[in-house]
Amino acid sequence: ACMKNIISLNSTLSQEERNYFSLSQKNFILEKRHRLKAINSLLKKFLKDPAKKDKEETKIALLKELKNSLEKEIYQINFEVQGIIDEYLLPKTSNKEDIIFYYKMKADYYRYMQEMEIKGDEGEAFLSLAEEYYQKAIEGAYGQLPELNYTWLATVLNYAIFLGGVKKDKEAAIEVAKGAFENAVQNK
């Protein structure tokens, strides 16, 4: 809420301010994502072994409670960041690089939601939105930003992470990352 209040005062961010906004939000959610992954790993370990499952019932219940709490926090952060981008940042910029940066950021946050292994329609929606915003960012950047531009490289590489880590399409991920690398080397 504090970040939203600050940005609402000046919705046109400089590149430095934009990067600080992104980094502060990313660092804030990163710790929660790591904790959630560790909890999921422990839960799988306990639930896989029937002997441990019965013996560690209290731990499992506490881990599930913590998991639910972290998922709620990640949801809240995601929707706050998406709201700030949609309400304040995208409508106030005409700078191509900023638009691409915010599309990439939106895609990244939808990818974070998908990492929570959400099933059903909601999970499919996050998957679809992540893909849609990565595509918008890549299409917007193609031919508009130099191949060595930070925003371009971050967009393409994060899309490769999405393809490999979320969609489980390792070949496409490698192809995208390799293409970005080769273009950058050719045009340095």
Side-chain angles (χ1 to χ4, degrees):
C2 182
M3 186 61 72
K4 183 178 180 178
N5 292 338
I6 292 169
I7 290 177
S8 71
L9 297 173
N10 179 19
S11 299
T12 306
L13 303 181
S14 69
Q15 184 176 0
E16 183 179 25
E17 291 168 330
R18 181 194 76 188
N19 291 338
Y20 283 141
F21 165 64
S22 174
L23 190 59
S24 69
Q25 296 305 302
K26 184 176 180 179
N27 286 342
F28 187 58
I29 202 168
L30 185 63
E31 175 261 333
K32 294 175 186 330
R33 289 172 54 218
H34 286 308
R35 286 177 51 202
L36 186 60
K37 286 178 186 178
I39 289 167
N40 282 335
S41 179
L42 282 171
L43 276 171
K44 285 178 184 173
K45 183 178 126 184
F46 284 135
L47 296 173
K48 188 190 299 184
D49 184 349
K52 282 186 180 179
K53 185 178 177 183
D54 293 338
K55 189 177 177 184
E56 304 291 353
E57 222 172 279
T58 304
K59 283 183 185 175
I60 291 170
L62 289 172
L63 286 170
K64 285 182 177 180
E65 187 178 319
L66 186 54
K67 176 184 175 176
N68 289 337
S69 174
L70 280 170
E71 285 176 343
K72 286 178 186 172
E73 288 179 47
I74 291 170
Y75 261 90
Q76 182 180 354
I77 294 165
N78 176 62
F79 289 114
E80 183 174 316
V81 169
Q82 297 287 356
I84 290 170
I85 293 170
D86 289 339
E87 188 176 342
Y88 298 104
L89 298 173
L90 277 172
K92 300 280 172 87
T93 188
S94 59
N95 179 295
K96 286 276 189 198
E97 185 173 350
D98 288 346
I99 292 168
I100 293 160
F101 184 90
Y102 295 135
Y103 283 163
K104 180 201 82 63
M105 197 171 168
K106 286 180 69 62
D108 289 342
Y109 277 78
Y110 285 125
R111 175 172 52 93
Y112 302 157
M113 297 302 292
Q114 187 57 34
E115 287 174 351
M116 292 193 311
E117 300 175 2
I118 298 166
K119 306 289 185 228
D121 291 344
E122 188 177 30
E124 286 299 316
F126 289 135
L127 183 70
S128 177
L129 287 165
E131 179 115 46
E132 174 186 336
Y133 279 100
Y134 280 126
Q135 288 298 322
K136 281 184 174 185
I138 289 169
E139 289 168 12
Y142 193 75
Q144 299 291 318
L145 299 178
E147 283 85 356
L148 289 175
N149 175 280
Y150 167 79
T151 300
W152 167 248
L153 288 173
T155 300
V156 173
L157 294 177
N158 283 13
Y159 182 54
I161 290 167
F162 169 76
L163 289 171
V166 176
K167 293 194 81 177
K168 308 293 186 219
D169 188 347
K170 305 286 187 218
E171 287 181 26
I174 291 168
E175 185 178 316
V176 166
K178 186 178 175 183
F181 174 76
E182 288 172 354
N183 284 340
V185 168
Q186 284 177 356
N187 296 300
K188 65 178 179 170

